Amino acid sequence: MTSLDTRTARTRRRAELLDELVALVLAEGFASFTLDDLARRLHCSKSTLYGIAASKEQLVVSAVKRFFQTATAAVESRIASTGDHRERISAYLLAVAEQLQPASPAFFADLAAFAPAREIYERNTRAAAGRVQQLVGEGVAAGTVRPVHASFVGVAVAQVMAAIHRGDVLTATGMDDAAAYRELADLVVAGIAPR
């Protein structure tokens, strides 16, 4: 095996481990795990984990980044083939809900309590709200949605997304994040429908 083959195999193994770590932290959260726990659960050595990140905290940040990168790519892929702007907005928010579905309450609680991971979630939430604003603006320009103020819709979506993230929606309604995003999609699409 050449050194290039060895590097490629190591890179592939790291990517696989990171994906396994993402699945684990989505299902169970991450605050209670030690590096020893993670190595045992992922069937690898601690030194292998150190090959991904220098500490448990950095490993968590890497996993959260990986989750949102993968989720963003899946969401964008979902809307790429959708036609009408209202359908694209609905598909976008529903795809966000679908991507968040595997995330457990433990994951969101740990995310909220760990500032570096929380910032990644908040940054992705802002980007998602901006993307909805962009889609609304495009729909207004194309005449496929009623002439609403796209920036206002974006701000409103950002506020609801922030309330979802903070747990306000769960507390007030009992809806988890994914269900709340589905309701948000219905609300936005109904609000921008031509009259």
Side-chain angles (χ1 to χ4, degrees):
M1 185 180 282
T2 69
S3 65
L4 179 60
D5 291 338
T6 302
R7 280 196 306 270
T8 301
R10 266 189 261 151
T11 300
R12 186 175 30 253
R13 176 65 178 138
R14 272 188 288 226
E16 290 168 358
L17 273 175
L18 198 49
D19 288 339
E20 291 172 26
L21 178 62
V22 168
L24 179 62
V25 301
L26 286 175
E28 300 181 32
F30 51 81
S32 65
F33 286 119
T34 65
L35 273 174
D36 286 325
D37 295 332
L38 292 173
R40 186 176 32 75
R41 294 289 299 273
L42 297 171
H43 309 290
C44 67
S45 67
K46 280 174 45 175
S47 62
T48 301
L49 293 178
Y50 284 126
I52 297 171
S55 68
K56 176 194 164 189
E57 291 76 15
Q58 290 176 355
L59 197 59
V60 166
V61 167
S62 295
V64 171
K65 281 182 183 176
R66 174 73 158 223
F67 168 65
F68 283 109
Q69 288 167 347
T70 303
T72 299
V75 169
E76 288 297 331
S77 175
R78 174 74 62 81
I79 69 167
S81 62
T82 308
D84 175 276
H85 288 92
R86 284 176 293 138
E87 291 172 7
R88 291 183 80 200
I89 293 163
S90 178
Y92 184 88
L93 291 168
L94 292 173
V96 168
E98 181 180 293
Q99 291 301 308
L100 290 174
Q101 191 67 45
S104 66
F107 171 76
F108 283 114
D110 290 350
L111 194 68
F114 183 50
R118 183 177 61 243
E119 172 51 36
I120 295 166
Y121 185 45
E122 290 169 352
R123 185 172 44 244
N124 278 276
T125 299
R126 288 189 302 271
R131 186 69 168 111
V132 170
Q133 177 179 329
Q134 177 187 10
L135 292 169
V136 170
E138 290 171 1
V140 169
T144 58
V145 304
R146 70 183 184 85
V148 297
H149 195 285
S151 294
F152 175 81
V153 174
V155 168
V157 166
Q159 292 299 315
V160 173
M161 288 177 157
I164 292 168
H165 165 68
R166 287 190 310 268
D168 298 348
V169 173
L170 176 66
T171 300
T173 67
M175 283 190 290
D176 65 20
D177 287 22
Y181 272 97
R182 286 190 292 274
E183 290 295 324
L184 178 60
D186 289 346
L187 181 66
V188 171
V189 170
I192 63 173
R195 292 188 171 144

